[in-house]
Amino acid sequence: MARVLVTGGAGYIGSHTVQKLLLSGHKVAVIDNLSTGFKEAVPNQAEFYFGDVRDSNFVAEIMSKFDAEVVIHFAAKLNVAESLLKPVEYYDNNVGGTLSLLKACEKSGVKNFIFSSTAAVYGDSCTDGIISEGTPTNPLNPYGWSKLISEKLLSDTGDLVGINHVIFRYFNVAGAAEDGSNGQRTANAYHLVHLASQAGVGKRQGLKIFGTDYPTPDGTCIRDYIHVEDLADIHVLGAEHLLRGGTSATLNCGYGQGYSVREVISSALNVAENKFPVEEADRRPGDPASLVADSRKMQALLGWTPRRNNIDTICRTALNWEKTLSK
């Protein structure tokens, strides 16, 4: 059993990870300011502390009080479109929050750190359709840059003061708990599977496909969708890797299989009760044509095997969760 401090543990990915950590026998504390998270998403077995990670003294106090052995840092703003309109907020929250946490770790003696990053750090630099950790980084938006800068802060700090770390670069996270106990609670979350689920239960009149002239087989963007529970399992393995004395690493999190926007919508329509209309629209700024993960490094290092690598499973669990929110 280890003592794991989770920032942003009331959010979508964070709350699923908290549940998986608890099921694995670890003791968990959560810090969240509930700006986008939900207290009801945090399991009762976890200790909860309301506060902002940018308050380094507050965080250090909780680290010491809880006697944390590893930190998993989820707390961040993550809307690509919003980051183009509010870059200062994104750098302040995402970079400032990471820096504050690292200061608290140094002060409290926490030597293990897992960082929630994103495939957005790669931008559109991929030329062969598959992105490895060695693919050049070239973010297209402030959100991606805020994560890449935070990665650099972490690697520099780790080298200097001995904080071992794992950086997980997520591809598209979607779906909900298979037992129906948890899912995406944010009504205005912008990712495709969530929007399709809302349309599938009648909360939206339809969907738009933004861009049909990309250099892909059907002209729409391709993404690697990973089920949120598989991603949560990865974080448990990452924490256990560091606690065993494992080396620092930067790892892609995806299935290595991409689905186009049209393919995802087709899957969503297959499980939907409300057969929603689909409209074609112009491209959005900052959307790369294709993001598909080469996650072999992560699978080999952590011994992870995907359990839910199926777009229909992802769409079905998301839809079933959305139904519970409609009741």
Side-chain angles (χ1 to χ4, degrees):
M1 184 184 75
R3 305 177 72 82
V4 185
L5 178 64
V6 181
T7 73
Y12 173 48
I13 303 171
S15 61
H16 282 87
T17 300
V18 169
Q19 183 63 45
K20 293 289 186 178
L21 287 164
L22 292 167
L23 289 172
S24 297
H26 301 297
K27 188 171 178 61
V28 182
V30 170
I31 293 176
D32 202 300
N33 66 7
L34 301 180
S35 60
T36 56
F38 297 83
K39 179 64 166 60
E40 59 266 31
V42 180
N44 292 330
Q45 305 96 307
E47 297 181 24
F48 179 81
Y49 299 93
F50 176 81
D52 197 302
V53 296
R54 288 170 290 183
D55 185 343
S56 189
N57 290 331
F58 161 75
V59 174
E61 180 182 345
I62 299 304
M63 285 181 179
S64 297
K65 176 181 178 181
F66 180 64
D67 195 21
E69 298 171 77
V70 57
V71 170
I72 304 181
H73 179 32
F74 291 105
K77 289 180 174 290
L78 46 73
N79 187 312
V80 170
E82 183 182 58
S83 78
L84 294 166
L85 299 173
K86 301 177 180 180
V88 173
E89 289 188 20
Y90 272 70
Y91 289 119
D92 177 61
N93 189 84
N94 295 359
V95 179
T98 302
L99 182 59
S100 171
L101 269 177
L102 290 171
K103 289 179 180 177
C105 285
E106 186 175 5
K107 182 177 181 179
S108 306
V110 177
K111 297 297 185 180
N112 301 299
F113 197 108
I114 291 177
F115 180 61
S116 165
S117 193
T118 171
V121 300
Y122 297 113
D124 59 0
S125 58
C126 177
T127 58
D128 61 3
I130 301 294
I131 299 173
S132 72
E133 292 84 358
T135 298
T137 52
N138 183 31
L140 299 178
N141 47 68
Y143 165 63
W145 276 111
S146 73
K147 288 294 190 176
L148 187 60
I149 293 168
S150 295
E151 288 187 14
K152 180 62 173 170
L153 283 173
L154 178 54
S155 62
D156 285 352
T157 302
D159 291 342
L160 184 64
V161 301
I163 297 178
N164 286 341
H165 60 273
V166 174
I167 295 168
F168 286 129
R169 290 174 175 169
Y170 309 161
F171 284 63
N172 282 43
V173 187
E178 291 182 292
D179 65 2
S181 63
N182 196 10
Q184 177 61 265
R185 287 175 163 84
T186 306
N188 62 347
Y190 67 98
H191 65 77
L192 178 60
V193 173
H194 177 62
L195 297 177
S197 298
Q198 289 185 320
V201 298
K203 290 184 179 180
R204 291 179 176 272
Q205 293 184 348
L207 287 183
K208 288 185 178 181
I209 298 177
F210 293 101
T212 59
D213 59 347
Y214 286 94
T216 61
D218 67 14
T220 64
C221 289
I222 291 175
R223 296 290 183 267
D224 189 334
Y225 293 87
I226 181 169
H227 192 282
V228 64
E229 286 195 300
D230 272 344
L231 186 60
D233 289 336
I234 289 169
H235 283 76
V236 177
L237 294 173
E240 292 171 349
H241 164 79
L242 290 177
L243 290 162
R244 289 193 302 268
T247 57
S248 297
T250 298
L251 304 170
N252 285 341
C253 296
Y255 291 139
Q257 178 178 357
Y259 293 95
S260 73
V261 172
R262 291 193 193 278
E263 289 173 323
V264 173
I265 290 176
S266 176
S267 177
L269 282 167
N270 285 338
V271 298
E273 296 175 352
N274 176 57
K275 303 304 180 183
F276 52 86
V278 179
E279 177 186 347
E280 296 182 359
D282 293 336
R283 292 188 187 190
R284 296 178 302 189
D287 278 341
S290 180
L291 292 173
V292 178
D294 179 349
S295 60
R296 290 176 295 178
K297 180 180 175 182
M298 181 270 293
Q299 294 188 43
L301 183 67
L302 302 183
W304 174 74
T305 301
R307 295 179 53 199
R308 306 164 185 88
N309 182 9
N310 184 286
I311 193 62
D312 292 332
T313 297
I314 291 171
C315 288
R316 183 178 64 254
T317 57
L319 181 82
N320 288 341
W321 169 254
E322 199 63 38
K323 286 180 185 177
T324 70
L325 298 181
S326 301
K327 294 178 181 179

